């Protein structure tokens, strides 16, 4: 890797006219990840460049094994790249200690998983507040909880445990948990993968509305074309590389999905 790790960063926040004038919420550059399996080396990500701007909803599509989960793990600071770097709101992350990365993850990132990953013996309220308490901002979060729960349609379910909630309600609780610390970006891995299509559609509509009305920033991995079409932009991965990109507002997105993913 000869790529410089200190490229010039845009410093023109004063007059953000186009997205590119702004500091990306999330920026990956020169990202490489290899896995070694015996004698074999798998290039899971190859020199990947991606900028996600504040208020953008980006879907990542690609066939199985194309590197989607690896990318989401690296963007989520859950795993270390072999080369390249992630910046969060212009803040570099290379070389940070595990403690500093954990703090960044807690305070700046929200995660939503296919399997919800709620703690079964905690109520919805306790699940949602947990990341805030861990980050030492429980008081603030308690104030934010009411409006957030109402916006997500779970305000009447806050004392329920996960098992007492439908799948769609559980995913909305997980979304509230991801949002409670007002993250720079929400990283979602197949968030509708365990939901029936009507319930999945509700969760996607909530994500889309949050992006449009609340300025959330979302990166969502999905293999579902209908889910991806809720995003503003879809990027296509193959063999660890971005091989295509489409804006859903441009029309042509369905054709692009068909061409790059074949679904
Ligand atoms: N822990 C691992 N050890 C070895 N190979 C891995 C590991 N994780 C992923 N891979 C390989 O890296 C490539 C990308 O995997 P992954 O990011 O999981 O793709 P996707 O999520 O798109 O299915 C695949 O070839 C996969 O087999
Ligand atoms: Mg995967």
């Amino acid at each position: 890797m000869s790529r410089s790790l200190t490229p010039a960063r845009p410093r023109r926040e004063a007059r953000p006219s186009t997205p590119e004038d702004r500091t990306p919420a999330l920026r990956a550059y020169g990202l490489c990840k290899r896995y070694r399996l015996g004698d074999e080396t798998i290039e899971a990500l190859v020199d990947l460049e991606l900028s996600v701007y504040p208020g953008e909803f980006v879907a990542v599509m690609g066939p199985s094994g194309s590197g989607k989960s690896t990318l989401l793990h690296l963007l989520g600071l859950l795993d270390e790249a072999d080369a390249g770097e992630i910046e969060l709101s212009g803040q570099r992350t290379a070389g940070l200690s595990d403690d500093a990365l954990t703090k960044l993850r807690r305070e700046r990132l929200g995660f939503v998983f296919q399997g919800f990953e709620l703690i079964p013996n905690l109520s919805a309220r306790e699940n949602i507040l947990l990341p805030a308490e861990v980050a030492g901002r429980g008081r603030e979060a308690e104030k934010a909880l009411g409006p957030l729960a109402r916006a997500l349609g779970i305000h009447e379910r806050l004392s329920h445990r996960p098992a007492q909630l439908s799948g769609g309600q559980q995913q909305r609780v997980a979304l509230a948990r991801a949002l409670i610390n007002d993250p720079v970006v929400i990283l979602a891995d197949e968030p509708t993968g365990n939901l029936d299509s009507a319930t999945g559609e509700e969760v996607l509509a909530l994500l889309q509305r949050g992006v449009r009305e609340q300025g959330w920033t979302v990166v969502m991995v999905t293999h579902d074309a209908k889910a991806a079409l809720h995003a503003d932009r879809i990027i296509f991965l193959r063999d660890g590389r971005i091989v295509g990109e489409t804006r859903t507002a441009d029309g042509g997105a369905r054709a692009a999905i068909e061409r790059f993913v074949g679904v």
Side-chain angles (χ1 to χ4, degrees):
M1 274 304 296
S2 59
R3 184 174 302 275
S4 163
L5 290 182
T6 54
R9 268 179 252 152
R11 290 261 181 239
R12 288 171 291 163
E13 289 103 314
R15 193 184 49 79
S17 52
T18 67
E20 286 65 29
D21 279 344
R22 293 178 294 159
T23 303
L26 192 61
R27 174 162 177 235
Y29 47 96
L31 213 55
C32 294
K33 181 71 184 175
R34 291 176 205 101
Y35 294 110
R36 270 162 210 99
L37 268 184
D39 293 343
E40 205 190 344
T41 301
I42 296 161
E43 304 278 349
L45 292 178
V46 185
D47 205 9
L48 188 134
E49 308 277 331
L50 176 65
S51 289
V52 179
Y53 290 89
E56 236 196 332
F57 186 174
V58 175
V60 179
M61 297 191 82
S64 179
S66 58
K68 303 183 298 295
S69 295
T70 301
L71 175 61
L72 213 64
H73 275 95
L74 293 181
L75 295 179
L77 310 176
L78 293 162
D79 200 359
E80 214 179 324
D82 291 304
E85 193 173 352
I86 311 286
E87 282 181 5
L88 268 180
S89 294
Q91 182 182 349
R92 298 186 56 181
T93 62
L96 291 181
S97 67
D98 284 350
D99 284 354
L101 288 172
T102 301
K103 191 165 145 63
L104 266 182
R105 239 186 343 258
R106 273 184 197 149
E107 295 176 1
R108 317 290 298 278
L109 297 174
F111 294 90
V112 179
F113 306 97
Q114 178 171 356
F116 321 136
E117 315 278 338
L118 299 171
I119 298 177
N121 56 347
L122 295 184
S123 67
R125 172 196 306 279
E126 290 163 339
N127 268 287
I128 295 167
L129 290 175
L130 191 61
E133 271 151 20
V134 171
R137 51 183 301 285
R139 279 261 184 102
E140 229 176 309
E142 274 183 44
K143 282 190 207 142
L145 177 65
L148 182 58
R150 212 160 292 122
L152 293 171
I154 48 172
H155 52 293
E156 288 172 346
R157 297 285 181 276
L158 290 175
S159 58
H160 292 51
R161 294 194 179 184
Q164 301 170 307
L165 299 170
S166 69
Q169 288 167 342
Q170 289 185 59
Q171 195 58 306
R172 284 183 277 153
V173 169
L175 192 52
R177 178 185 57 186
L179 286 159
I180 196 69
N181 285 340
D182 194 17
V184 170
V185 62
I186 298 164
L187 300 169
D189 197 354
E190 298 278 6
T192 56
N194 280 12
L195 304 175
D196 64 67
S197 61
T199 308
E201 175 60 36
E202 279 171 29
V203 169
L204 290 162
L206 279 170
L207 273 175
Q208 197 174 41
R209 209 176 72 200
V211 169
R212 291 198 180 144
E213 295 175 9
Q214 309 292 323
W216 301 346
T217 308
V218 179
V219 178
M220 172 180 74
V221 164
T222 184
H223 67 265
D224 177 6
K226 267 169 83 183
L229 287 167
H230 286 76
D232 302 312
R233 185 153 66 99
I234 308 173
I235 66 164
F236 300 102
L237 277 187
R238 193 179 295 152
D239 299 329
R241 295 176 168 85
I242 294 179
V243 293
E245 176 169 336
T246 185
R247 288 195 174 272
T248 53
D250 294 347
R254 264 172 211 282
I257 293 171
E258 222 160 274
R259 184 165 33 154
F260 289 113
V261 193
V263 294

